Amino acid sequence: MSSHAVIQLAVGSTTEHRPLIITLFAVFVAATLGITVWAGRQTKSASDFYAGGRQFTAFQNGLAVSGDYMSAASFLGIAGAIALFGYDGFLYSIGFLVAWLVALLLVAEPLRNAGRYTMGDVLAFRMRQRPVRTAAGASTIVVSIFYLLAQMAGAGVLVSLLLGITSDAGKILIVALVGVLMIVYVTVGGMKGTTWVQMVKAVLLIAGALLMTFLVLLKFHFNISDLLGTAAEKSGKGGKFLEPGLKYGATGTSKLDFISLGLALVLGTAGLPHILIRFYTVPTAKAARKSVNWAIGIIGAFYLMTIALGFGAAALIGPKEIKAKNPAGNAAAPQLAEYLGGGVGTTGGAVLLAVISAVAFATILAVVAGLTLASSSSFAHDIYANVIRKGKATEQEEMKAARWSTVFIGAAAILLGAFARDMNVAGLVALAFAVAASANLPTILYSLFWKRFTTQGALWSIYGGLISSVVLVLFSPVVSGKPTSMFKNADFYWFPMENPGLISIPLGFLLGWLGTLLSKEPADAEKFAELEVRSLTGTGAH
């Protein structure tokens, strides 16, 4: 979804306006680097680096959460999915938004009270530190790297197409440049710098989407019925375009795939590491809850606008032209921007295209920084400080480990992103959600709410969910056997669905329960009572 995202536009239409495009990109990068350096000067303690000193207000954090969550997948992928599949495309928006209710009702407040900096803090509170922190760190890093790949490849495709770079070496250089920027953001700015970048990006994305929505509605004199009618007519599918079943109703397997995808989207958000660590940046649990309310409002408004963007692209450009630029429809939003600005070859079209592309690039950078911070924090705090150093590392040593791990994770993302630059990365985004829902969410919920839960249950749940979801995707059509697969010419798939959530999520919950029942060690009732009081009231929270 997020990545071949983007602007496979005729190179000729951007050639004469390339200086403008490069200038806009440069201004954005310079501004965000300036914010990062400013924030870096105020980052002195581990609390500053991991949690921004817990100084952000509920509104600021809500804005940053929105910036962290609305990735290129949201902006480019959903608009394309709606433009090609109508009603079924909009189901992504619903899944992404409903997911926040799970995060709000079950996770945000207890997690903020129970932990310090990472998911591993919550799990280790009432269980054996070393094995549980190792598992939590491994899961966090795997989810983050899958999500990172999608964003890195998206950035490579976006920038290389806008700048007219066609050589493999040039594309790899762009992926490397994004990786270096990401390493600078996190190592210099920590959570403070990353949060401010995410806030700026959220404002830009909402403003860009609002402008395009206004222009689309203006074309149809603010008559939504006309917009939907024209979109249905131009789609070639008639009334079926506005009804369920165009993408997910053809066969029994596709219906199951839809349920699987929905499960992963709705349950995955509450287990995404880069979202979970955002709850630690506010001073109180009440502020964590309020920040989720703000995020639901901001993200909800954005996803409502994707309806106008998707149906607007279907009505004004048409599925044939959209597919001609990118078969998955990921270029729909930038194509629509160019059309609304005046069309291909016009200055207005080039300006709006450049602005929306810069916003898409901002989106990628902000999400990449959040993901890198989540995985480096988990490595430094969970694995280095508590497993390798057994809790004896100083704050300065821990921050140093976090910065070095950022460099290594960034290098891994650059290397893998270079290989993934020509892949269909929709599966990587879905996999990140599926792994988070299969490995992280069952363990967090059991740990917070089940008195008998043990270390063995946690390990079975994390590793079981992690391994099953990764294995099922490796042998699914996402990786091989279809023209849209990562390896188009290979065919070794046996799992028929593109999303493993329907199997791996219940398996994660089941293994957590089974591992606990078969465990010989008793649960620590006193520790659970303490965790329960802390998670529900905030007494003793950091």
Side-chain angles (χ1 to χ4, degrees):
M1 214 188 306
S2 100
S3 216
H4 273 228
V6 212
I7 314 183
Q8 306 218 3
L9 293 163
V11 171
S13 71
T14 60
T15 306
E16 61 185 287
H17 302 290
R18 199 157 285 146
L20 170 74
I21 293 167
I22 293 170
T23 304
L24 267 172
F25 271 61
V27 165
F28 175 76
V29 170
T32 50
L33 281 174
I35 291 168
T36 304
V37 170
W38 166 77
R41 286 180 180 166
Q42 300 173 42
T43 299
K44 293 178 173 67
S45 67
S47 174
D48 289 336
F49 188 86
Y50 293 133
R54 306 192 202 282
Q55 293 168 351
F56 291 100
T57 65
F59 172 69
Q60 286 175 325
N61 194 47
L63 201 56
V65 167
S66 311
D68 216 354
Y69 190 67
M70 296 184 295
S71 70
S74 304
F75 184 44
L76 303 162
I78 293 175
I82 294 172
L84 297 184
F85 301 108
Y87 182 95
D88 277 16
F90 181 55
L91 293 172
Y92 277 100
S93 292
I94 296 168
F96 280 133
L97 183 58
V98 170
W100 278 102
L101 295 177
V102 179
L104 174 66
L105 298 172
L106 295 177
V107 174
E109 194 174 349
L111 199 78
R112 164 66 187 80
N113 285 337
R116 260 185 98 196
Y117 303 130
T118 66
M119 179 180 82
D121 286 335
V122 179
L123 305 183
F125 189 87
R126 52 182 285 227
M127 291 168 201
R128 294 203 314 276
Q129 289 255 346
R130 297 180 76 189
V132 167
R133 282 191 186 274
T134 304
S139 175
T140 297
I141 291 166
V142 169
V143 175
S144 299
I145 282 182
F146 278 118
Y147 217 121
L148 265 176
L149 276 188
Q151 306 301 324
M152 296 288 281
V157 173
L158 171 65
V159 182
S160 60
L161 284 167
L162 276 171
L163 304 185
I165 294 167
T166 52
S167 70
D168 280 348
K171 287 177 185 175
I172 292 169
L173 192 65
I174 287 163
V175 170
L177 179 67
V178 172
V180 169
L181 272 175
M182 153 185 109
I183 291 166
V184 170
Y185 284 160
V186 177
T187 52
V188 174
M191 178 57 92
K192 281 189 177 178
T194 300
T195 301
W196 281 104
V197 168
Q198 285 161 348
M199 284 158 61
V200 168
K201 166 255 157 134
V203 171
L204 286 174
L205 187 58
I206 292 288
L210 198 60
L211 173 64
M212 286 176 68
T213 301
F214 175 77
L215 293 174
V216 166
L217 293 175
L218 191 64
K219 290 274 183 193
F220 293 92
H221 308 290
F222 296 91
N223 187 326
I224 293 170
S225 181
D226 272 4
L227 166 63
L228 297 177
T230 310
E233 190 184 319
K234 203 159 181 182
S235 71
K237 304 284 191 307
K240 287 184 179 176
F241 191 68
L242 304 178
E243 295 169 8
L246 206 58
K247 181 175 171 65
Y248 293 111
T251 63
T253 307
S254 68
K255 288 176 182 174
L256 281 176
D257 216 349
F258 168 62
I259 295 168
S260 193
L261 175 72
L263 261 179
L265 295 181
V266 170
L267 298 177
T269 298
L272 286 174
H274 65 301
I275 299 298
L276 295 178
I277 64 167
R278 292 236 54 89
F279 299 139
Y280 297 125
T281 63
V282 287
T284 63
K286 186 180 177 184
R289 193 172 65 247
K290 277 187 175 176
S291 66
V292 176
N293 286 334
W294 276 111
I296 289 173
I298 295 163
I299 293 165
F302 172 77
Y303 284 139
L304 277 175
M305 289 189 272
T306 61
I307 305 175
L309 301 184
F311 285 113
L316 298 171
I317 296 163
K320 276 187 184 174
E321 277 190 52
I322 291 168
K323 280 184 180 174
K325 302 297 182 194
N326 180 282
N330 292 315
Q335 279 177 281
L336 180 64
E338 191 170 38
Y339 177 91
L340 293 171
V344 177
T346 64
T347 303
V351 168
L352 197 53
L353 169 66
V355 168
I356 296 304
S357 303
V359 168
F361 187 62
T363 298
I364 290 166
L365 280 180
V367 175
V368 156
L371 286 161
T372 312
L373 186 66
S375 43
S376 63
S377 297
S378 188
F379 175 82
H381 185 65
D382 291 326
I383 296 173
Y384 173 76
N386 287 291
V387 175
I388 297 172
R389 294 292 305 276
K390 300 179 185 175
K392 292 174 184 171
T394 64
E395 274 201 356
Q396 295 308 314
E397 287 173 334
E398 206 174 306
M399 285 168 66
K400 195 175 178 182
R403 290 190 163 107
W404 275 111
S405 61
T406 300
V407 173
F408 286 116
I409 288 161
I414 291 168
L415 187 66
L416 293 167
F419 284 112
R421 69 188 185 281
D422 294 323
M423 286 182 182
N424 177 326
V425 295
L428 293 171
V429 173
L431 178 58
F433 273 83
V435 175
S438 309
N440 295 352
L441 186 66
T443 323
I444 290 169
L445 293 182
Y446 279 148
S447 191
L448 288 172
F449 302 111
W450 189 22
K451 191 175 184 176
R452 287 186 59 192
F453 195 48
T454 63
T455 301
Q456 181 172 296
L459 298 178
W460 281 32
S461 183
I462 291 180
Y463 288 127
L466 191 63
I467 293 164
S468 62
S469 50
V470 171
V471 168
L472 288 176
V473 164
L474 285 176
F475 293 102
S476 77
V478 167
V479 174
S480 72
K482 283 189 174 181
T484 52
S485 300
M486 290 178 188
F487 301 107
K488 301 175 184 66
N489 303 320
D491 187 356
F492 49 83
Y493 86 91
W494 49 261
F495 182 65
M497 296 191 294
E498 291 191 1
N499 197 288
L502 196 60
I503 309 292
S504 60
I505 296 170
L507 193 63
F509 278 98
L510 178 67
L511 286 169
W513 172 76
L514 195 62
T516 298
L517 289 191
L518 298 176
S519 173
K520 290 176 182 173
E521 61 171 322
D524 190 332
E526 279 186 25
K527 273 288 187 186
F528 176 72
E530 190 184 334
L531 178 68
E532 193 174 32
V533 169
R534 177 184 281 200
S535 68
L536 295 177
T537 66
T539 306
H542 294 283

